[in-house]
Amino acid sequence: MQTSKKHSSSAGIHLYHQPVQDIDPYTHYQIFQSNSCQDIHDSGSQEGTSISFVPCKEQYFTLESSPAANGFIGCDSPSYASVSSNRSPFSPQASQSHSNHSDQHHSSDNTYGSPTSVHSSADNSYELKNKLRELEISLMGPDSDIVDSCHCCFKGASSPTSKYNWNQIAEMIPKLDLKEVLIRCAQAVSDDDIETAVGWMNNVLAKMVSVGGDPIQRLGAYMLEGLRARLESSGSLIYKALRCEQPTSKDLMSYMHILYQICPYWKFAYVSANAVIGEAMQNESRIHIIDFQIAQGTQWLLLIQALACRPGGPPFIRVTGVDDSQSFHARGGGLHLVGKRLSDYAKSCGVPFEFHSAAMCGSEVELENLVIQPGEALAVNFPFILHHMPDESVSTENHRDRLLRLVKSLSPKVVTIVEQESNTNTSPFFQRFVETFNYYTAMFESIDVALPRDDKQRISAEQHCVARDIVNMIACEGAERVERHELLGKWKSRFSMAGFAPCPLSTSVTAAVRNMLNEFNENYRLEHRDGALYLAWKNRPMCTSSAWRC
């Protein structure tokens, strides 16, 4: 799920965009069920109106170090969405020791400022294509479309004066813990110990990671490339280059759709927000929804369907969709496609409807772009998007808080926000690396239970919809780093400072999300606490949904 100024990344989560389909299979989740609407809703009867809605065998390889192949591959996350990205809780404390990297839930937001921006120093000869072709062919066949990569400049192994005997360590690889090795390497990068970092990368990590392995091996492949990019001070170059080498819109949409179907993160955002908005607007005759991540507009098909059978007739609905270049690419066209899709569907449901486009990044939105009209009850939706807005640690404009103040000035009836439950905004590099590892380990495990490890679609989906977020968080700094997640506690502070009050979530909202989760793996957990809904994988909170009012 992913936009900030001119940068895009996805997911999720990049679960950051929803796939373009006509009302997709998941539309049977109900926002409302009414006895008068059984011809539309068939998910059960209730009285009154309620709301429901491979492993690599013995051979290890990294994206860069496989036989006869070098480089990095990664692309956008869907608006996990873009899982872009789209998109949050393990928050390592200030200790920089590589031996102290245990997971820490519910830690308070750190007070560190953003690290010094890393400027790209790679020269123009830095090659970005054809480095992964042989790996790709061996793993995914000659028809694979993954072609972009980044060449790694590290040469050689250990020097005669190296403090490590890399040959001996390499012999121990089958007994080594991959997480520990990644942490040691990241610590060396953090300490500017280039020789040690390169030694771990070239002699050990390159032989332990695999895009076709178990969850930690797959994650390790992308984190290794993030470390390489950071050490070369080329994170910015890699990130921008990958933006230019995206798959076709049709293929990208296919990859996003895969993650959308096998992971509940985006559906969690849609169902919870729609349930809240539906309750808040149940007595309103004119409704205006501002969506700061409209993507394909799929979320509002569900709400239109629910409001179509409201007792007394449907309300007039106007949707303002904020767009970005990544969504444009994924759709294969502009916002007029979203407007037509929603308008046609509303007409088929007998719902008076109007669509307004705001084709710009969320950080560029001003009052005049929103076309507020008197007599309309306003709802504002922030699905996995606010963490892409630069805050006070990045820009004096502080668009993250500016947008909240702007929205408050509109006196909305309700504001919904869904965000990754992770702490990567202002954390120094090493803490951010550990947090990224912990968060995405859980995400890769949740993907792993849904598709076989040798599934080519899964490999493509992870590379095109998750890898970019990971590289961005590890390799980029300053304005170039657009993946800046914050914990729910920090979002609460921002909303409170902007003048909002929490909007309690009803039991019907929780029931709607639980109903949606029934078709996913039993290791997904839902908890209602602190005035919000937490979606977790096992014991790891992955994202939160909360609502706010003036």
Side-chain angles (χ1 to χ4, degrees):
M1 331 123 208
Q2 160 159 329
T3 61
S4 176
K5 300 227 176 219
K6 302 203 185 233
H7 303 286
S8 67
S9 110
S10 169
I13 283 84
H14 225 321
L15 295 164
Y16 294 115
H17 303 283
Q18 65 269 46
V20 148
Q21 307 281 343
D22 290 330
I23 195 134
D24 300 298
Y26 49 83
T27 55
H28 65 275
Y29 300 129
Q30 304 306 310
I31 313 165
F32 300 108
Q33 290 182 326
S34 172
N35 292 335
S36 63
C37 303
Q38 292 305 312
D39 57 327
I40 296 179
H41 301 300
D42 60 0
S43 63
S45 61
Q46 293 178 329
E47 295 184 0
T49 300
S50 63
I51 299 183
S52 68
F53 240 120
V54 141
C56 95
K57 303 175 184 173
E58 292 301 318
Q59 178 183 10
Y60 295 90
F61 54 88
T62 168
L63 295 176
E64 195 258 339
S65 63
S66 67
N70 296 295
F72 164 77
I73 286 243
C75 286
D76 246 33
S77 6
S79 29
Y80 212 184
S82 92
V83 226
S84 264
S85 232
N86 17 284
R87 340 5 326 189
S88 312
F90 291 61
S91 305
Q93 300 302 310
S95 171
Q96 296 272 327
S97 170
H98 64 257
S99 62
N100 181 19
H101 54 273
S102 60
D103 302 340
Q104 300 184 30
H105 295 266
H106 314 305
S107 66
S108 60
D109 292 299
N110 68 70
T111 56
Y112 294 94
S114 278
T116 305
S117 178
V118 176
H119 299 284
S120 175
S121 62
D123 57 41
N124 294 332
S125 65
Y126 197 86
E127 296 179 341
L128 295 170
K129 290 185 177 181
N130 304 319
K131 302 300 182 186
L132 248 174
R133 201 60 201 167
E134 292 189 30
L135 164 62
E136 187 188 325
I137 291 171
S138 65
L139 181 65
M140 302 179 68
D143 296 328
S144 172
D145 62 351
I146 303 172
V147 295
D148 56 302
S149 61
C150 292
H151 176 64
C152 174
C153 300
F154 301 132
K155 306 294 183 181
S158 58
S159 69
T161 59
S162 174
K163 56 186 176 183
Y164 290 95
N165 186 323
W166 296 115
N167 290 331
Q168 285 186 354
I169 294 176
E171 292 175 358
M172 297 171 58
I173 283 178
K175 299 180 180 179
L176 296 180
D177 179 80
L178 179 52
K179 177 178 180 178
E180 177 67 18
V181 176
L182 283 165
I183 296 298
R184 286 179 178 271
C185 185
Q187 184 68 65
V189 172
S190 179
D191 294 342
D192 292 325
D193 186 350
I194 308 302
E195 181 186 33
T196 298
V198 172
W200 283 115
M201 291 178 189
N202 287 355
N203 300 290
V204 185
L205 283 172
K207 301 172 183 177
M208 295 183 73
V209 300
S210 165
V211 295
D214 62 29
I216 191 174
Q217 288 174 322
R218 303 197 310 264
L219 173 59
Y222 303 124
M223 299 198 78
L224 171 59
E225 297 312 318
L227 288 170
R228 292 188 187 280
R230 184 179 184 89
L231 208 55
E232 294 177 1
S233 300
S234 59
S236 170
L237 176 62
I238 289 175
Y239 195 65
K240 291 178 180 178
L242 288 174
R243 285 187 67 236
C244 299
E245 297 294 334
Q246 298 179 81
T248 65
S249 60
K250 180 180 178 180
D251 290 337
L252 180 57
M253 191 58 57
S254 175
Y255 302 144
M256 293 174 178
H257 188 66
I258 291 168
L259 291 185
Y260 187 89
Q261 293 298 330
I262 67 175
C263 301
Y265 305 118
W266 268 102
K267 294 179 185 180
F268 170 74
Y270 294 165
V271 173
S272 60
N274 279 0
V276 169
I277 293 171
E279 277 192 340
M281 301 297 181
Q282 60 185 340
N283 297 317
E284 300 293 341
S285 60
R286 296 182 65 85
I287 300 171
H288 182 190
I289 299 169
I290 300 174
D291 188 349
F292 273 83
Q293 180 76 344
I294 190 68
Q296 318 308 319
T298 303
Q299 177 174 356
W300 309 118
L301 298 176
L302 307 178
L303 188 61
I304 290 170
Q305 184 190 65
L307 295 176
C309 55
R310 196 174 71 174
F316 168 84
I317 302 175
R318 187 154 64 95
V319 172
T320 294
V322 179
D323 199 31
D324 59 81
S325 59
Q326 175 60 22
S327 293
F328 184 103
H329 173 76
R331 281 193 306 268
L335 274 173
H336 67 280
L337 297 176
V338 178
K340 185 178 187 308
R341 183 190 190 200
L342 292 177
S343 296
D344 289 348
Y345 188 73
K347 183 177 180 180
S348 72
C349 294
V351 176
F353 182 84
E354 181 179 301
F355 183 79
H356 171 66
S357 64
M360 62 191 66
C361 294
S363 60
E364 299 171 343
V365 170
E366 300 288 351
L367 177 60
E368 56 268 23
N369 305 125
L370 301 177
V371 193
I372 303 301
Q373 296 180 1
E376 295 179 339
L378 179 64
V380 179
N381 187 45
F382 288 112
F384 294 117
I385 189 63
L386 272 179
H387 74 271
H388 291 139
M389 307 302 160
D391 71 347
E392 68 277 6
S393 68
V394 180
S395 167
T396 56
E397 295 176 291
N398 188 4
H399 292 295
R400 192 169 297 199
D401 290 335
R402 180 190 70 81
L403 278 177
L404 294 183
R405 292 192 299 269
L406 172 61
V407 169
K408 175 62 169 61
S409 73
L410 306 178
S411 299
K413 191 158 189 180
V414 68
V415 178
T416 54
I417 174 176
V418 179
E419 279 292 344
Q420 289 96 325
E421 182 67 2
S422 183
N423 187 14
T424 62
N425 182 22
T426 57
S427 302
F429 164 72
F430 182 72
Q431 279 87 356
R432 191 168 74 244
F433 182 92
V434 176
E435 171 75 348
T436 300
F437 178 89
N438 287 326
Y439 185 88
Y440 282 93
T441 294
M443 177 173 285
F444 275 68
E445 287 178 355
S446 72
I447 295 172
D448 197 61
V449 300
L451 288 175
R453 289 180 184 172
D454 59 353
D455 188 286
K456 296 179 181 179
Q457 288 187 318
R458 179 201 56 74
I459 295 172
S460 294
E462 288 176 348
Q463 289 179 328
H464 290 286
C465 302
V466 183
R468 168 166 302 198
D469 290 0
I470 295 168
V471 172
N472 183 254
M473 280 182 279
I474 294 174
C476 298
E477 295 294 351
E480 297 292 345
R481 181 160 62 87
V482 300
E483 292 301 316
R484 293 177 169 274
H485 306 108
E486 294 185 315
L487 299 173
L488 177 62
K490 184 64 176 181
W491 291 118
K492 285 184 173 182
S493 296
R494 290 190 187 277
F495 271 84
S496 296
M497 288 188 294
F500 290 99
C503 180
L505 302 181
S506 71
T507 56
S508 295
V509 175
T510 303
V513 178
R514 288 195 188 281
N515 182 55
M516 179 273 295
L517 286 177
N518 283 338
E519 68 178 53
F520 290 94
N521 187 277
E522 64 276 8
N523 282 313
Y524 288 106
R525 312 282 176 79
L526 185 69
E527 184 178 2
H528 185 184
R529 60 180 170 85
D530 303 328
L533 286 179
Y534 285 76
L535 176 62
W537 170 255
K538 298 181 179 178
N539 295 321
R540 165 77 207 215
M542 299 299 290
C543 43
T544 61
S545 178
S546 60
W548 301 82
R549 60 191 178 189
C550 292

